[in-house]
Amino acid sequence: MRTAKNMATASKTRRLDCGADRISNLPTLLLDAILIRLPVRDAARTSILSTTWRNIWGTHPNLIFDDNFFSQLVSKKDKQSQLFEAVKAVNDILLLHTGPVLNFLLFIPPDLPLNECIETDFWIKNISNNEVRNFKLLNAQEIPYTMPSYLFSCFKLNDLTLGYCILKPPLRFGGFFLLESVRLMKVIITADISFGPKLEQLIMECCIGIKHLGCLFKNHSNLSILIIYSGDIDWKLFECTQKVHLISLSLKKVTDPREKIVNLEGFVGSMPKMNNLLVDDLFLKSLKPASTIPEMLTTKMENLKYLYFAGVGFHDLVQIKYVLCLIRSSPNLQYLSMGPVCDEKLRTEAGVGLTYFVGAKNPIGNSRSGLDSEAVSKNSGKSVEKYLQLPIRDMLLDKLQTVDISGMVGSTAELRFIKLMLVSSPSLEIMSLGFSSATDEEVRSRISRELFQFNRCASTTVELIM
């Protein structure tokens, strides 16, 4: 005879089974949608519900071991115990998963040295045998993680993202055949490597060894988006980039004068399809020395519509001449932006925003500012002021609609450049001007009054961000 307690337990079990069965009988697409919305640890636990769920989890295409996954494992235990629990959790999940893994992400937290665990290499070996398409490994440790050779066995890889790793391909590695997008952040490349003939997007942030990527820039290259932020560059790489339409260059500080070998005419001529360009002051300083800076390039950038300058010093006559040369050489320019540094906001506006990934003691950043008050002293900007007083020939920008200048300190050179843009752009609709926080109120008010008087009869809307 069953007791009341047993009857209640049996009734509860029937209700749970009934609910589980109803969910299990949903279409496979809906079940996959449920798993996608669950953290990977909870998704793996569904395998104990029933045989149906075990089969569904076994073929679930996403394995996401992100910061949230590891934060759930961190407790008041000592570091060694935390590391043991994290490794065990990942091993258990991979053991239950038997099907293809299309999307894989592994985040190595700063407080769990998984980059030093041999198990991490075996995780990648496991993934490499499961037809992975999207592979992301982000290392937040102070020591770079050396990618095992198993990565180069991912022949169906379509998208690759690496953060703070050492990349050394095997000697006989022939390249990835299906790879279309690569993002490298603080990656050290130690040997020649090919990402394959289908590569379309290459983003590199604070990388070392870019010279080993020379085979990517051959005539047969499909590369269309190229972003290099704070890297070492061999300028010969840009001789064959005919299909590139978006390029962003923010370089490391050049210390060797022999590195200043960029020929601006050749650089522009190698990318005839370029429609979006972001360069910084170090790029301008890397240009090949010329006795006379041309007013306009021989090869015009006919397709360029968006032009961004970062860290340009209004006190530097050479930089300003190159800025005007690039502007005049862009007859179809629609949007012009100038900012003090190549920050996240500027790069996002340029369509080249990167996912920031910061190592423990080496944050990605740039403290340069070509517009700071120290640089723009009373004497340093005199040559620029004199130059901008002269009539600027061939300066009709009839397609330009928006100008955005930030980080202003209120120098005379800045004001004259702004006036030049106003009088040279008959179709200009909006000019947005932002001051540096170091600019005092009196200077801001003076600039505001002068621009109001200068622009009162024009149709351009001038927005002053005080």
Side-chain angles (χ1 to χ4, degrees):
M1 181 176 178
R2 290 190 298 176
T3 65
K5 182 177 180 181
N6 289 337
M7 293 176 62
T9 302
S11 176
K12 182 178 180 182
T13 301
R14 285 195 299 272
R15 289 198 301 270
L16 289 174
D17 290 342
C18 183
D21 288 340
R22 281 201 297 267
I23 297 176
S24 299
N25 291 328
L26 290 173
T28 303
L29 288 177
L30 288 180
L31 296 178
D32 285 334
I34 292 173
L35 290 183
I36 288 174
R37 287 161 174 78
L38 290 176
V40 66
R41 199 177 183 194
D42 294 335
R45 287 172 173 171
T46 62
S47 62
I48 67 174
L49 295 177
S50 66
T51 303
T52 301
W53 280 100
R54 189 179 304 118
N55 293 334
I56 293 171
W57 163 249
T59 59
H60 184 57
N62 302 330
L63 289 179
I64 309 299
F65 302 105
D66 55 11
D67 190 24
N68 291 330
F69 171 81
F70 289 106
S71 64
Q72 294 176 1
L73 302 174
V74 175
S75 64
K76 295 181 180 179
K77 299 178 181 178
D78 59 85
K79 294 293 182 182
Q80 192 62 34
S81 297
Q82 291 179 9
L83 182 61
F84 174 80
E85 291 294 333
V87 170
K88 183 179 183 301
V90 176
N91 283 337
D92 289 345
I93 290 173
L94 292 177
L95 182 64
L96 291 171
H97 196 283
T98 57
V101 178
L102 303 185
N103 302 298
F104 176 77
L105 184 151
L106 176 61
F107 174 74
I108 301 179
D111 52 350
L112 287 175
L114 296 172
N115 58 327
E116 300 176 10
C117 292
I118 192 170
E119 286 87 351
T120 306
D121 291 357
F122 285 107
W123 296 342
I124 296 175
K125 179 182 180 181
N126 182 294
I127 297 304
S128 68
N129 296 327
N130 283 293
E131 303 182 2
V132 62
R133 304 291 199 277
N134 281 307
F135 183 99
K136 296 182 181 180
L137 190 145
L138 305 176
N139 174 27
Q141 292 284 315
E142 296 179 11
I143 301 173
Y145 172 61
T146 302
M147 292 299 304
S149 59
Y150 307 123
L151 173 69
F152 303 96
S153 300
C154 301
F155 297 116
K156 294 188 178 182
L157 199 61
N158 181 261
D159 191 298
L160 175 65
T161 300
L162 299 177
Y164 202 29
C165 299
I166 297 175
L167 200 57
K168 184 178 180 179
L171 290 176
R172 296 185 179 181
F173 178 64
F176 296 98
F177 299 107
L178 301 176
L179 196 56
E180 296 180 359
S181 177
V182 174
R183 300 170 186 84
L184 306 177
M185 292 158 280
K186 293 174 61 182
V187 170
I188 303 168
I189 307 169
T190 61
D192 290 350
I193 182 174
S194 169
F195 290 125
K198 292 192 175 183
L199 187 68
E200 297 178 358
Q201 174 177 282
L202 177 61
I203 300 174
M204 293 181 285
E205 189 161 353
C206 299
C207 293
I208 298 173
I210 298 177
K211 62 183 180 181
H212 292 298
L213 302 178
C215 56
L216 298 178
F217 300 89
K218 303 301 182 183
N219 285 322
H220 62 271
S221 173
N222 283 314
L223 197 65
S224 60
I225 296 176
L226 176 61
I227 301 169
I228 302 176
Y229 179 67
S230 191
D232 56 332
I233 297 176
D234 182 351
W235 291 106
K236 293 180 181 179
L237 298 179
F238 295 91
E239 294 176 355
C240 299
T241 47
Q242 300 293 315
K243 296 181 181 180
V244 170
H245 62 79
L246 187 155
I247 183 164
S248 170
L249 297 172
S250 179
L251 312 181
K252 70 173 186 178
K253 186 175 182 180
V254 177
T255 55
D256 187 350
R258 291 173 296 180
E259 294 183 31
K260 298 182 179 182
I261 56 173
V262 185
N263 183 299
L264 188 57
E265 288 277 3
F267 174 79
V268 170
S270 66
M271 285 173 278
K273 294 186 178 181
M274 179 169 54
N275 62 26
N276 195 320
L277 174 64
L278 188 157
V279 297
D280 67 353
D281 56 325
L282 293 182
F283 170 83
L284 298 178
K285 292 175 182 177
S286 300
L287 295 175
K288 189 173 183 179
S291 55
T292 304
I293 299 174
E295 293 184 355
M296 187 184 301
L297 297 175
T298 303
T299 303
K300 290 187 178 181
M301 296 181 285
E302 299 284 352
N303 291 312
L304 192 67
K305 296 180 180 179
Y306 306 94
L307 181 57
Y308 304 80
F309 293 102
V312 173
F314 276 93
H315 60 288
D316 190 321
L317 180 60
V318 173
Q319 290 188 44
I320 291 300
K321 283 188 174 181
Y322 273 124
V323 166
L324 291 177
C325 173
L326 288 170
I327 292 175
R328 278 197 297 265
S329 303
S330 309
N332 296 310
L333 189 64
Q334 296 179 8
Y335 184 95
L336 172 66
S337 177
M338 299 182 72
V341 293
C342 191
D343 58 13
E344 185 176 10
K345 176 179 179 294
L346 180 61
R347 290 188 292 163
T348 300
E349 289 176 352
V352 297
L354 306 181
T355 301
Y356 272 88
F357 182 72
V358 182
K361 289 189 177 180
N362 190 9
I364 296 169
N366 193 332
S367 60
R368 300 191 315 270
S369 175
L371 306 180
D372 58 29
S373 56
E374 181 180 352
V376 188
S377 62
K378 290 184 179 180
N379 297 321
S380 61
K382 292 295 183 183
S383 57
V384 181
E385 295 172 16
K386 184 177 180 181
Y387 176 74
L388 291 175
Q389 266 186 323
L390 301 174
I392 305 296
R393 295 177 296 173
D394 303 318
M395 197 66 180
L396 179 62
L397 307 170
D398 58 351
K399 302 290 179 63
L400 188 61
Q401 298 176 4
T402 305
V403 173
D404 187 349
I405 301 176
S406 60
M408 292 171 49
V409 298
S411 68
T412 304
E414 289 174 341
L415 186 58
R416 288 178 178 169
F417 179 84
I418 291 168
K419 291 180 178 179
L420 177 61
M421 291 297 103
L422 286 170
V423 300
S424 304
S425 312
S427 300
L428 190 62
E429 297 176 358
I430 298 176
M431 176 175 280
S432 179
L433 305 173
F435 288 95
S436 165
S437 58
T439 308
D440 61 57
E441 193 63 36
E442 184 179 346
V443 172
R444 300 185 190 200
S445 298
R446 176 179 58 81
I447 296 293
S448 178
R449 289 194 301 270
E450 189 165 344
L451 284 177
F452 176 77
Q453 291 294 327
F454 183 82
N455 190 57
R456 59 182 178 179
C457 296
S459 59
T460 303
T461 300
V462 176
E463 298 176 348
L464 282 167
I465 303 172
M466 306 297 284

